[in-house]
Amino acid sequence: MQVSEQPILRDLVLVGGGHSHVVVLRMLAMQPESGLRITLICTDIDTPYSGMLPGYISGHYSFDEVHIDLGRLASFAGARFIHGEVTGLDRSNQRVLMKDRPSVPYDLLSINIGSTPNVRQVKGAQAHAVPVKPIAHFNLRWLNLLERVRLLRDRFTIAVVGGGAGGVELVLSMQYRLRSELQKLGRNPDWLHFVLLTAGDSILPTHNAGVRARFARVLKERHVAVHTRAEVHQVAPGCLHTRDGRTFDADETMWVTQAGGPAWLQGTGLALDEHGFVKVNDRLQTLDDPKIFAAGDVASFTNRPLEKAGVFAVRMGPPLVKNLRLCLRDQPTVAFNPQRKWLALISTGNRYAVASRGSIGFAGTWVWSWKDWIDRRFMRQFTELPDMAPGAAPSAAPASSLALSAEESRQAISAIAMRCGGCGAKVGASILTRALGSLQPVERNDVLIGLHSPDDAAVVRVPPGKAMVHTVDFFRSFIDDPYLFGKVAANHALGDIFAMGAEPQSATAIATVPPGLESKVEDLLLQMMTGAVEVLNAAGCALVGGHTGEGRELGVSSFSVQ
Ligand SMILES: Cc1cc2nc3c(=O)[nH]c(=O)nc-3n(C[C@H](O)[C@H](O)[C@H](O)COP(=O)(O)OP(=O)(O)OC[C@H]3O[C@@H](n4cnc5c(N)ncnc54)[C@H](O)[C@@H]3O)c2cc1C
């Protein structure tokens, strides 16, 4: 964890650890913003790099080679990493709503959550098809399929629905890998059959005729049955039905089509396109809210349609970080002008790839080697993180250039003064009252004075004939998620009580929180104490009081009695 000397002045929240945000994090690490607290929230801890996914399926790369460790990258950028799922936005209070944990405040927000194949619109698809996203779920199903195929004794058909680059690469990569697995085991690879279905007139509709013809040839040579104008309208166990009445065998169905934005975006009030993606202008700002940006697949670029491809998500990273910085300084943002023609390197699974750019197309094993070189070079930016020179680390960052109101500047100055330990470095009473007021510790009859009616000290009754067991712990924060940290600290304190064979009754907490604007300190305290109180409540232990001070790092201790 990097520790900042600067008070926390602004919150930038990055929702989703997609291709744009990994670039943003790296750039913010290389050139930190003083006073900016960055929080990355993602359902994945390891985020996949799309360019290498087909190579992973083919068996050319390991899991680690195609994934970026978001925890490590966030730590490198001095950002907090919350491993969790965003379920909505409370835009009037500028908070990100989370599944199973407190909401997270933002001053500036960026969304880079990719797209989700929409299996809900087709009957049976949710139950019987495997959507290729989220990749973490897909990977589990893929590993399961590998095991099933290794045990095969008979004919087995795999259908891929979707004739874009993703679908074509997936079917060829799976075929290469699964046939190799059977060959290695001395079994008959011809038990495996592959079908590619697309509703369109041709595969790869956004690529030139030469590239389409080349792939049609490869698929034919590899005995992949391609069916165009085959719109799947029902998925059943063991088969697929198309709208025109055809039925296809499918022991396993992979879904690589009809991508859309997740349902929770509908409730945000942000303008969405017909697929549920967030509409953005050429500055990557949402049309309704200049404090909210979106990038990657989830962004619907209103100036002109962009292909949903990792390459655009990556390219949006630098303009996104630039505009986030400008926005934090209250300066006008700048336009992103994506290129009209772009190079796609599409692999055929067997270390061979086809290059496609506008009307140009060429192919070969050397194209695959070239792609491999480009992809590995990209990944090295995130796996081989440079050592930060002491002067470049956020802890030594210069005075903040973030735009603040007069009141915020006053609070920032007093937060800096607080670092010297003046005023006992105590957190202000109004912050405490607000943060602790929303906690709901369990009520117990033997707690005479606790947080429900706070006083200078708590008073608890010791039941006759019982002894008191005292314990105290103190942790410097070893994780940057305050809610999780509160839970860990409370569990640790309870562990000592249980180890003594005692029953937890009440707890006091000493917390240190880094200095910042009042709202930032209040929220940090609330997140940490909410985590602690949830654990204490589950054990029937009442939080009865404590002390909160400001320090360089987050820390908490609990003192429990019976
Ligand atoms: C088989 C296949 C092969 C492909 N090959 C290529 C290729 O070679 N080149 C190319 O350019 N494109 C390729 N693509 C397309 C590419 O995968 C996408 O365009 C790209 O991943 C989009 O990147 P992104 O940054 O928008 O989001 P993603 O990379 O999808 O990342 C989004 C992240 O946000 C997280 N997230 C989602 N919802 C939430 C939530 N509610 N709360 C918190 N976190 C959340 C996800 O878990 C994920 O980590 C391929 C696609 C497929 C299916």
Side-chain angles (χ1 to χ4, degrees):
M1 273 190 60
Q2 294 205 25
V3 180
S4 174
E5 288 291 333
Q6 292 292 339
I8 305 159
L9 306 176
R10 285 283 179 266
D11 270 305
L12 166 64
V13 176
L14 305 174
V15 175
H19 296 62
S20 317
H21 281 172
V22 294
V23 174
V24 166
L25 281 166
R26 193 174 192 283
M27 292 180 79
L28 284 171
M30 304 311 284
Q31 198 187 334
E33 286 290 340
S34 245
L36 180 66
R37 177 170 59 186
I38 310 162
T39 305
L40 170 69
I41 306 173
C42 192
T43 42
D44 286 334
I45 294 177
D46 296 297
T47 198
Y49 171 47
S50 59
M52 292 172 93
L53 266 181
Y56 166 71
I57 300 291
S58 295
H60 306 318
Y61 304 121
S62 67
F63 180 91
D64 285 347
E65 281 174 314
V66 305
H67 285 82
I68 296 168
D69 178 344
L70 289 178
R72 187 163 165 253
L73 180 62
S75 169
F76 174 65
R80 302 191 297 183
F81 176 51
I82 295 180
H83 178 217
E85 184 180 343
V86 171
T87 54
L89 298 179
D90 172 358
R91 282 175 50 211
S92 44
N93 291 306
Q94 296 195 179
R95 298 193 78 89
V96 177
L97 307 179
M98 303 279 308
K99 186 176 175 193
D100 299 332
R101 54 171 295 145
S103 60
V104 177
Y106 68 86
D107 297 297
L108 205 55
L109 181 77
S110 177
I111 306 173
N112 176 213
I113 53 172
S115 56
T116 322
N118 199 341
V119 279
R120 282 165 201 263
Q121 280 169 4
V122 175
K123 198 172 161 195
Q126 203 170 0
H128 306 297
V130 183
V132 76
K133 298 258 178 129
I135 295 288
H137 293 182
F138 172 78
N139 187 41
L140 290 178
R141 289 294 292 262
W142 164 244
L143 295 176
N144 179 276
L145 177 63
L146 263 175
E147 279 313 305
R148 282 169 68 198
V149 166
R150 284 181 187 128
L151 301 173
L152 268 193
R153 291 275 176 272
D154 206 350
R155 182 188 165 95
F156 191 86
T157 304
I158 297 171
V160 173
V161 180
V168 170
E169 276 194 302
L170 184 65
V171 76
L172 289 170
S173 309
M174 286 197 303
Q175 190 206 42
Y176 174 81
R177 175 71 181 276
L178 295 175
R179 282 181 64 89
S180 316
E181 291 292 324
L182 285 184
Q183 273 159 347
K184 266 192 266 171
L185 293 168
R187 304 241 174 81
N188 183 2
D190 293 336
W191 282 337
L192 289 169
H193 294 262
F194 291 85
V195 186
L196 180 69
L197 298 124
T198 176
D201 294 338
S202 71
I203 55 163
L204 300 166
T206 57
H207 294 270
N208 67 59
V211 168
R212 288 203 298 271
R214 203 183 285 267
F215 268 99
R217 223 168 29 244
V218 170
L219 288 160
K220 193 169 176 202
E221 282 164 14
R222 303 257 297 260
H223 304 292
V224 175
V226 178
H227 298 275
T228 55
R229 298 191 197 109
E231 186 188 344
V232 175
H233 85 132
Q234 189 181 351
V235 185
C239 67
L240 303 171
H241 302 288
T242 57
R243 195 165 290 287
D244 59 7
R246 286 177 284 170
T247 297
F248 295 91
D249 284 348
D251 296 300
E252 186 80 299
T253 299
M254 303 297 185
W255 205 262
V256 200
T257 190
Q258 290 178 334
W264 67 263
L265 286 173
Q266 313 275 344
T268 59
L270 295 171
L272 307 180
D273 71 8
E274 68 276 23
H275 303 292
F277 294 121
V278 185
K279 287 188 180 178
V280 294
N281 59 22
D282 59 0
R283 281 115 220 275
L284 302 174
Q285 265 164 319
T286 60
L287 302 189
D288 323 77
D289 194 335
K291 289 187 185 319
I292 302 183
F293 290 70
D297 278 9
V298 78
S300 176
F301 205 62
T302 45
N303 280 29
R304 62 188 160 92
L306 286 185
E307 179 126 358
K308 301 289 181 201
V311 63
F312 283 113
V314 169
R315 292 214 175 123
M316 285 179 192
L320 176 61
V321 79
K322 181 166 193 174
N323 281 339
L324 291 170
R325 288 187 203 274
L326 288 168
C327 213
L328 287 163
R329 292 179 172 80
D330 254 353
Q331 291 171 2
T333 48
V334 294
F336 163 56
N337 195 6
Q339 60 198 110
R340 289 188 182 271
K341 286 185 189 160
W342 57 286
L343 177 71
L345 298 173
I346 311 167
S347 62
T348 56
N350 50 351
R351 296 182 192 270
Y352 185 94
V354 179
S356 165
R357 186 174 194 273
S359 58
I360 303 169
F362 48 90
T365 48
W366 71 271
V367 179
W368 191 86
S369 301
W370 182 34
K371 174 175 163 53
D372 176 60
W373 179 79
I374 293 172
D375 289 340
R376 286 184 190 273
R377 188 184 55 169
F378 175 80
M379 285 300 280
R380 273 200 296 276
Q381 296 178 78
F382 304 98
T383 51
E384 296 173 14
L385 298 172
D387 281 338
M388 298 293 283
S395 57
S400 174
S401 49
L402 307 181
L404 298 176
S405 68
E407 168 56 19
E408 287 173 332
S409 300
R410 186 197 62 72
Q411 287 184 22
I413 290 165
S414 64
I416 290 167
M418 189 68 84
R419 273 188 324 202
C420 69
C423 328
K426 268 168 75 174
V427 167
S430 55
I431 301 179
L432 269 183
T433 310
R434 284 195 302 267
L436 300 183
S438 44
L439 297 177
Q440 294 187 320
V442 283
E443 297 201 31
R444 294 179 58 116
N445 291 337
D446 49 7
V447 174
L448 306 180
I449 298 178
L451 273 191
H452 299 98
S453 51
D455 210 321
D456 286 342
V459 181
V460 296
R461 183 182 289 123
V462 182
K466 291 217 171 182
M468 289 179 75
V469 178
H470 293 231
T471 176
V472 66
D473 268 322
F474 188 83
F475 283 100
R476 289 170 64 197
S477 180
F478 49 88
I479 44 173
D480 43 27
D481 176 344
Y483 170 74
L484 202 57
F485 177 54
K487 284 191 164 223
V488 172
N491 265 313
H492 202 270
L494 286 173
D496 289 345
I497 291 291
F498 292 135
M500 295 298 291
E503 173 200 329
Q505 178 215 41
S506 57
T508 51
I510 294 182
T512 57
V513 282
L517 297 186
E518 287 178 11
S519 60
K520 310 296 175 198
V521 174
E522 179 185 329
D523 185 77
L524 200 53
L525 192 55
L526 178 63
Q527 300 263 343
M528 185 161 69
M529 295 317 298
T530 300
V533 165
E534 279 178 18
V535 168
L536 294 173
N537 282 0
C541 180
L543 180 71
V544 292
H547 174 87
T548 310
E550 288 186 339
R552 272 182 86 224
E553 292 175 55
L554 202 61
V556 73
S557 76
S558 297
F559 164 56
S560 310
V561 297
Q562 183 235 330

